[in-house]
Amino acid sequence: KIFFRWYGWGYAHVLKWVSHFFVQDEESARLLGTLGIDNVTIVGDTRFDRVLDICRQARPLPLVQKFAEQASIVFVAGSSWPVDEEFIIPYFNAHPFMKLILAPHVIDEMHLRQIESRLKRLSLRYSAATDENISQADCLIVDCYGLLSSIYRYGHVAYIGGGFGVSIHNTLEAAVYGMPVIFGPKWQKFREAKGLLQAQAALSVRNYKEFARALDTAFATQQMMGERAANYVQSECGATDIIYKALFQQK
């Protein structure tokens, strides 16, 4: 960003040494154009290709599958912060038809105990889950890292945490599985969040009332919103192939 601010114009000549720019969108191309740079190709965002690869390579999680298989609705709350859990836990407590997979962003013992103390339905930590006890729980607390991108496949609706803090976490990891996505109000810096909202595959919330309404809507229209989410991700894929082909042709 420094190249496009008033104090960065002195550095802009560095960009002239770049042989070609592959950019995500028209706005990026326009900004480069303000510096007299036109060796630009708009290709989209390679993160869509990456998240599709992650989806295809997702490892099976038999315990999570067993937890989810008897539930009519599985709500996955990924990378949640305490402010997110202020909405998630009361809604879960009041809606016995759903199961919850809660993957907190912070998994220290104090935070896990705080979560468990507020749950009014049977919960189980993933680290303590077995074939014998997993089906009895209504809430599965993911108390380890590295599983979330594979867990989303077992859910029907996803909430992505962080939107009441600095910014939301990765929405595409859930959307690629064809899930409606819900997140807090700080999404404006993320092109993919804007795209999901425009595709009517996501909902943004600012308070508990909006959160509850969004979940009710997502549960009722899960198939339609999920298809929109999957279609949006698929429609944005292909940037990596375009770049590879261009680089190969240059050689």
Side-chain angles (χ1 to χ4, degrees):
K1 293 182 179 180
I2 188 174
F3 299 110
F4 306 105
R5 298 185 185 276
W6 67 267
Y7 51 80
W9 288 96
Y11 298 96
H13 70 279
V14 174
L15 299 178
K16 301 289 186 177
W17 293 92
V18 178
S19 59
H20 198 84
F21 290 87
F22 297 96
V23 299
Q24 293 184 15
D25 50 34
E26 291 279 356
E27 176 62 13
S28 299
R30 186 193 66 78
L31 285 171
L32 287 169
T34 64
L35 301 178
I37 296 172
D38 58 6
N39 52 330
V40 178
T41 301
I42 300 171
V43 297
D45 191 341
T46 58
R47 289 180 302 156
F48 287 87
D49 301 313
R50 175 60 179 155
V51 79
L52 187 59
D53 286 341
I54 291 172
C55 172
R56 290 168 176 167
Q57 298 170 20
R59 53 175 164 158
L61 299 171
L63 286 175
V64 181
Q65 181 176 354
K66 191 169 184 178
F67 170 82
E69 61 188 5
Q70 296 180 349
S72 58
I73 287 289
V74 177
F75 177 44
V76 182
S79 299
S80 64
W81 290 83
V83 65
D84 302 307
E85 291 148 13
E86 290 290 327
F87 301 158
I88 295 165
I89 293 175
Y91 187 96
F92 165 74
N93 286 337
H95 292 81
F97 68 87
M98 61 175 277
K99 285 194 171 187
L100 170 64
I101 300 176
L102 181 62
H105 186 75
V106 177
I107 58 172
D108 63 70
E109 184 64 22
M110 181 179 294
H111 186 203
L112 294 174
R113 289 185 181 183
Q114 288 173 346
I115 291 171
E116 290 168 333
S117 70
R118 299 182 61 209
L119 292 167
K120 296 180 180 179
R121 298 167 59 194
L122 187 61
S123 65
L124 180 68
R125 297 188 189 188
Y126 183 84
S127 62
T130 66
D131 282 328
E132 289 69 34
N133 63 16
I134 191 73
S135 297
Q136 301 169 16
D138 294 318
C139 175
L140 182 63
I141 303 172
V142 183
D143 57 342
C144 53
Y145 294 114
L147 298 181
L148 185 56
S149 62
S150 296
I151 283 175
Y152 281 123
R153 75 162 87 178
Y154 300 105
H156 299 97
V157 176
Y159 178 87
I160 310 301
F164 287 90
V166 176
S167 60
I168 56 172
H169 295 286
N170 194 330
T171 58
L172 295 179
E173 285 185 341
V176 71
Y177 288 104
M179 303 172 69
V181 178
I182 300 170
F183 43 77
K186 295 185 180 179
W187 53 265
Q188 290 80 4
K189 294 181 180 179
F190 296 88
R191 175 176 170 266
E192 66 275 15
K194 181 178 179 180
L196 286 167
L197 289 168
Q198 290 177 336
Q200 296 183 305
L203 296 164
S204 177
V205 300
R206 295 170 295 180
N207 51 54
Y208 179 79
K209 184 177 180 179
E210 291 184 1
F211 174 83
R213 187 187 307 126
L215 263 187
D216 291 343
T217 299
F219 289 155
T221 62
Q222 182 261 325
Q223 183 174 354
M224 180 174 62
M225 289 185 68
E227 288 177 357
R228 291 170 179 165
N231 290 339
Y232 170 70
V233 175
Q234 289 284 348
S235 71
E236 295 289 325
C237 288
T240 303
D241 285 342
I242 294 172
I243 294 170
Y244 280 159
K245 288 177 181 178
L247 294 175
F248 178 77
Q249 290 172 358
Q250 286 176 7
K251 292 183 179 180

